Amino acid sequence: MAKLTSRITNRRSVSTSHAVAAALASIHSSIAFAPTRPHPSLRPHTQLSIATTAPSTPTVGNRIQINQDYPGLKLIHANPDVYIIENFLDDTSCQDLIDRAKEKGTSRSPVAYAGWTEDIKELLGLAASGPVTWLAILGAWYESQGEENASVISLVLHSFRNYAGLFVVAAVLIAAFTKFRSDELQKLRTSSSTTLDDLSQIGPLNFVSRSEDLFAPSSSDSTTMRAASYFEAPTVIQYEKDQSLAPHYDANRSANVEDVNRGGQTLATLIVYLNDVTIGGTTRFGKLPPAVHDKRQAKGSSNLNIIPRKGDALLFFPADQNGVFDERTEHEGCPAVEEKWIARIWRHEERVNPPFGLSDEVMQRYL
């Protein structure tokens, strides 16, 4: 501020510099900006290089409860907890899930730009409190050069007018950047998938019913809704040769806004491998150490890296029981040298209504 005032004083009278200083104080006092926050997650995730003075990410608490006596349940990493569940589904159920997916037809797996609302909010805040404000004031000062005895009111009016125009330009550019980023994120996932919400077949039925047995009933609802009410409908995903999924998170720091129509935050991810994959196609957690004593750990990997085995399930918790995002659960689907099929259920914080979740009619009839 002192340097800017000094430059102005060298070209205009002292009274004009005081006017500019007053305009600066006025525009800053008239605008309130929300503090920046830790950068939101993307699904898949690519971090923006944005400096922030926000407090650190909230401490991650306890995960949601599960049935610790579930057959085959094995903890392979603690804090954050990652489990393998041996023989979660039998061969018949695995094959039926694949058959049902082929029958329905798969399409390019969608990628949600999770956290876009926080991105826009943060970028607008940075633009408004930085370049937009200074350019508005400098523009007002430049315009005042053609006026005799420029007044404080004149400079303030020029500043606000310039600010409004520059803010609109910044908003348009940020919206265009957000759209570009959303389009680019889709390239990070090359698999195809489909959702199965019909439990009349053995594969989807067994997957959902056994998932219910795994997850403890929700304690957040006094109506004792059944566990499946908190599930997204099973999704079957196919990875063909060389297809992959880039490092990403399953939770979303903006879930309370962006995921409100699909149950809010993702509290647990359950993946079942539907076929054996001898080469490639591993599930890698880039921020966790290897499970050196587990036979499913990929040899030579410096991180937790799970080899797919038909019928086994992988369980982890992208956020704690209160919905606090856990960045340690970043993971990826490594390139598949052979074809890979998986089925996934996301367990959310709240009831997941159709079309994302299972209908009451389906649950009452089949579960």
Side-chain angles (χ1 to χ4, degrees):
M1 177 62 198
K3 291 183 179 179
L4 177 59
T5 304
S6 175
R7 292 193 189 101
I8 295 173
T9 303
N10 288 336
R11 297 190 58 186
R12 295 288 288 171
S13 66
V14 173
S15 61
T16 303
S17 70
H18 286 172
V20 172
L24 176 62
S26 175
I27 196 169
H28 269 291
S29 63
S30 301
I31 304 169
F33 302 108
T36 56
R37 301 178 180 179
H39 193 272
S41 68
L42 305 178
R43 194 185 289 154
H45 169 74
T46 302
Q47 194 83 338
L48 278 177
S49 299
I50 299 177
T52 176
T53 56
S56 59
T57 302
T59 302
V60 178
N62 296 327
R63 58 166 173 77
I64 60 170
Q65 295 298 311
I66 62 171
N67 179 4
Q68 294 293 157
D69 297 322
Y70 194 90
L73 186 69
K74 180 180 180 182
L75 183 68
I76 59 173
H77 187 279
N79 192 27
D81 291 350
V82 180
Y83 291 90
I84 287 287
I85 309 172
E86 296 179 337
N87 302 313
F88 186 79
L89 287 181
D90 56 50
D91 290 353
T92 300
S93 297
C94 289
Q95 187 59 50
D96 187 66
L97 282 163
I98 294 174
D99 292 342
R100 298 287 77 75
K102 289 180 177 179
E103 181 181 282
K104 185 176 181 181
T106 60
S107 58
R108 182 73 176 269
S109 299
V111 175
Y113 183 173
W116 64 270
T117 54
E118 288 293 325
D119 271 0
I120 291 177
K121 183 178 180 180
E122 183 173 327
L123 290 171
L124 282 175
L126 288 171
S129 60
V132 170
T133 298
W134 291 108
L135 287 173
I137 293 170
L138 288 173
W141 169 77
Y142 181 79
E143 291 170 340
S144 71
Q145 300 304 294
E147 301 178 4
E148 292 295 330
N149 300 320
S151 66
V152 172
I153 294 177
S154 175
L155 282 171
V156 169
L157 291 176
H158 281 312
S159 297
F160 273 108
R161 183 198 63 192
N162 294 343
Y163 181 90
L166 289 168
F167 188 82
V168 170
V169 172
V172 170
L173 291 175
I174 289 170
F177 169 77
T178 304
K179 176 63 167 61
F180 170 78
R181 157 156 274 193
S182 178
D183 293 340
E184 287 297 302
L185 283 172
Q186 183 60 61
K187 299 177 182 178
L188 299 180
R189 182 168 202 161
T190 56
S191 61
S192 59
S193 63
T194 191
T195 300
L196 303 177
D197 55 4
D198 180 4
L199 302 187
S200 63
Q201 302 296 330
I202 187 173
L205 175 60
N206 283 344
F207 187 21
V208 173
S209 62
R210 293 177 187 181
S211 298
E212 274 206 310
D213 292 339
L214 173 66
F215 289 103
S218 172
S219 59
S220 63
D221 195 300
S222 59
T223 62
T224 62
M225 284 194 295
R226 60 181 315 138
S229 300
Y230 298 87
F231 298 166
E232 281 197 35
T235 299
V236 177
I237 304 168
Q238 177 190 23
Y239 292 88
E240 297 180 353
K241 182 179 179 181
D242 296 329
Q243 290 186 333
S244 62
L245 174 55
H248 66 286
Y249 300 122
D250 286 350
N252 179 1
R253 284 196 176 103
S254 303
N256 61 332
V257 175
E258 296 172 18
D259 294 335
V260 66
N261 64 337
R262 59 197 311 150
Q265 187 64 283
T266 305
L267 303 188
T269 296
L270 179 65
I271 295 172
V272 179
Y273 300 109
L274 302 180
N275 67 317
D276 291 318
V277 181
T278 56
I279 304 175
T282 56
T283 304
R284 178 178 176 270
F285 292 80
K287 297 182 179 182
L288 302 182
V292 293
H293 300 299
D294 195 281
K295 59 186 177 183
R296 296 163 196 78
Q297 168 69 33
K299 294 181 180 179
S301 177
S302 59
N303 301 107
L304 183 61
N305 202 359
I306 306 302
I307 299 171
R309 178 179 165 184
K310 186 176 183 178
D312 284 0
L314 175 68
L315 172 66
F316 58 96
F317 306 89
D320 70 17
Q321 62 183 355
N322 296 315
V324 176
F325 179 90
D326 192 344
E327 64 180 14
R328 299 171 298 174
T329 61
E330 181 188 66
H331 59 288
E332 63 182 301
C334 296
V337 179
E338 300 177 352
E339 183 181 52
K340 181 179 77 169
W341 288 86
I342 66 172
R344 181 198 67 213
I345 282 179
W346 275 329
R347 198 281 193 188
H348 285 272
E349 191 172 13
E350 303 292 343
R351 167 77 161 103
V352 184
N353 293 309
F356 303 108
L358 300 168
S359 69
D360 290 332
E361 179 184 357
V362 166
M363 289 187 287
Q364 291 170 5
R365 183 173 181 180
Y366 295 107
L367 294 177

